[in-house]
Amino acid sequence: MLKATFAAGCFWSVELVFQREPGVQSTKVGYTGGIKENPTYKEVCTGKTEHAEAVEVEYDPKVVSYERLLEIFWHKHDPTTVNRQGGDIGTQYRSAIFYHNERQRELAEKTKAEQQAQLGKTVVTQIVPAQIFYVAEEYHQKYLEKGGQCSAKGCKDAIRCYG
């Protein structure tokens, strides 16, 4: 199994879209890219910890490629907005790819350039080395699935995010 880590706004819906992908073995929501050890959700929401809400994906590369995971990431959010996705505003909602090896970095850079050309706007997604990933509180894990949304592999139901 390999790991991939993505930040694309509120981690609840990002987690659900990856849960649905065949080849994804597990997902965890949490915080990464910041300066405080073991931050809480409340602390991350202040913006002072500098963490992003992120999803750590464990996947089987024999079933799903990193390129496919990047495709899901790019289509899940608006990579042209700084520290914002929809009504969620703050540094914790930034767009970022946390790469775990050089190949992931290369593919992230390549697809970012493709997105920028396709969108005709500046893509603000950060591409940075993976850092310590702090798993979020249990109540955040599989939040939308627990709320009754479909997490089955291949499910195409619309994802509804709510607080």
Side-chain angles (χ1 to χ4, degrees):
M1 293 306 125
L2 297 177
K3 284 186 183 177
T5 306
F6 302 101
C10 174
F11 50 26
W12 295 339
S13 65
V14 179
E15 179 181 41
L16 187 59
V17 76
F18 283 113
Q19 281 179 271
R20 293 174 170 183
E21 184 63 23
V24 170
Q25 302 300 307
S26 68
T27 57
K28 294 178 197 164
V29 298
Y31 318 111
T32 193
I35 56 173
K36 184 177 188 312
E37 289 185 24
N38 298 306
T40 65
Y41 179 71
K42 187 174 181 178
E43 291 170 329
V44 170
C45 287
T46 69
K48 294 177 182 174
T49 71
E50 300 180 19
H51 286 89
E53 288 192 14
V55 178
E56 186 177 83
V57 176
E58 191 170 281
Y59 67 100
D60 181 348
K62 294 176 185 167
V63 180
V64 63
S65 67
Y66 186 69
E67 292 92 328
R68 171 66 183 142
L69 299 179
L70 285 167
E71 180 182 333
I72 293 167
F73 167 79
W74 292 119
H75 288 101
K76 176 64 188 100
H77 76 300
D78 180 354
T80 68
T81 56
V82 177
N83 299 332
R84 179 183 191 144
Q85 289 300 312
D88 294 327
I89 301 169
T91 57
Q92 71 270 30
Y93 300 118
R94 68 186 177 270
S95 175
I97 299 168
F98 297 91
Y99 61 86
H100 293 264
N101 58 49
E102 187 61 20
R103 181 70 176 143
Q104 286 186 354
R105 185 196 64 76
E106 291 168 359
L107 290 169
E109 294 286 359
K110 175 181 176 281
T111 59
K112 178 180 177 179
E114 292 168 355
Q115 285 296 308
Q116 189 154 305
Q118 180 182 1
L119 296 170
K121 295 180 183 179
T122 301
V123 171
V124 297
T125 303
Q126 298 173 344
I127 299 173
V128 294
Q131 300 175 24
I132 296 172
F133 184 87
Y134 297 101
V135 177
E137 297 82 351
E138 181 55 37
Y139 70 91
H140 287 297
Q141 305 302 320
K142 317 259 184 300
Y143 187 86
L144 297 180
E145 177 186 352
K146 290 174 192 172
Q149 293 191 51
C150 177
S151 64
K153 299 299 182 195
C155 181
K156 301 287 185 204
D157 292 355
I159 295 174
R160 301 168 319 281
C161 204
Y162 43 83

